[in-house]
């Protein structure tokens, strides 16, 4: 994390900056309608990421925050090994600004709220004041609120 980043907005990718409903649907179909290992192996690969589409309202909001001088920190449940390269391409393709991106470690099956809560704590220890978090998971929003962070469920 850059030392220049003193205040930040933390934002999620899937369900916030990107509509992933088509990828989700196809992976569920391949996994026989169950969200087990086969589903997650599919969803956390780049197999159907080409079907993800940006959510213009969220993208514009993040651009506005960047223009206001905040750092944009993306914290995602995406796996860097299977999705990292394609994720960076998506962000560049759609002109989504960011200063730092944190991927979920490979094999990490903890709940998103636990993983993202730890990232929020690490940012605080690094001297970054998170002024806002935007996520689609109510448990993640709750974790941010517990830390005194303005949290928006998208």
């Amino acid at each position: 994390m850059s030392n220049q980043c003193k205040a930040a907005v933390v934002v999620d990718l899937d369900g916030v900056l990107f509509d992933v409903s088509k990828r989700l649907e196809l992976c569920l179909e391949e996994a026989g309608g169950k969200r087990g290992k086969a589903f997650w192996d599919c969803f956390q690969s780049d197999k159907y990421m080409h079907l993800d589409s940006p959510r213009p309202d969220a993208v514009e909001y993040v651009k506005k925050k960047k223009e206001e001088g905040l750092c944009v920190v993306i914290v995602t449940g995406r796996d860097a090994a299977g999705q990292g390269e394609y994720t960076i391409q998506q962000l560049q393709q759609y002109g989504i600004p960011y200063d730092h991106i944190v991927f979920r470690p490979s094999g990490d099956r903890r709940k998103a709220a636990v993983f993202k809560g730890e990232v929020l704590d690490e940012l605080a220890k690094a001297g970054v004041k998170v002024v806002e978090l935007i996520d689609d998971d109510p448990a993640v929003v709750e974790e941010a609120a517990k830390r005194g962070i303005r949290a928006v469920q998208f």
Side-chain angles (χ1 to χ4, degrees):
M1 176 72 59
S2 165
N3 289 340
Q4 297 174 337
C5 192
K6 298 295 179 201
V9 58
V10 170
V11 63
D12 185 24
L13 287 178
D14 296 338
V16 176
L17 287 173
F18 288 98
D19 176 350
V20 296
S21 58
K22 290 178 184 172
R23 176 165 44 117
L24 188 131
E25 182 180 328
L26 288 171
C27 288
L28 265 175
E29 188 177 301
E30 278 189 20
K34 298 179 182 158
R35 286 191 185 211
K37 184 178 181 336
F39 166 78
W40 288 110
D41 286 349
C42 175
F43 192 74
Q44 291 190 310
S45 75
D46 62 2
K47 184 174 184 176
Y48 295 120
M49 286 177 67
H50 64 280
L51 299 173
D52 297 353
S53 59
R55 295 182 65 182
D57 48 348
V59 172
E60 287 308 311
Y61 188 79
V62 167
K63 287 179 177 179
K64 179 180 165 211
K65 292 298 176 182
K66 182 68 179 160
E67 289 168 6
E68 291 173 1
L70 291 175
C71 288
V72 175
V73 178
I74 295 171
V75 181
T76 179
R78 290 184 181 187
D79 177 77
Q83 298 175 292
E85 189 176 321
Y86 202 97
T87 296
I88 301 304
Q89 289 174 12
Q90 285 179 317
L91 294 167
Q92 291 171 346
Q93 177 182 354
Y94 297 112
I96 300 171
Y98 68 98
D99 297 281
H100 190 66
I101 186 166
V102 180
F103 291 94
R104 180 188 291 266
S106 292
D108 184 345
R109 298 289 183 224
R110 295 174 299 158
K111 295 202 177 286
V114 174
F115 161 63
K116 292 181 179 183
E118 278 185 11
V119 173
L120 292 173
D121 294 341
E122 290 170 14
L123 289 169
K125 286 178 190 169
V128 178
K129 179 173 177 47
V130 176
V131 297
E132 186 173 35
L133 173 135
I134 307 162
D135 205 289
D136 62 331
D137 183 337
V140 173
V141 168
E142 185 177 321
E143 282 299 312
K146 285 182 193 174
R147 290 164 172 78
I149 298 168
R150 180 178 185 271
V152 178
Q153 184 175 343
F154 204 84

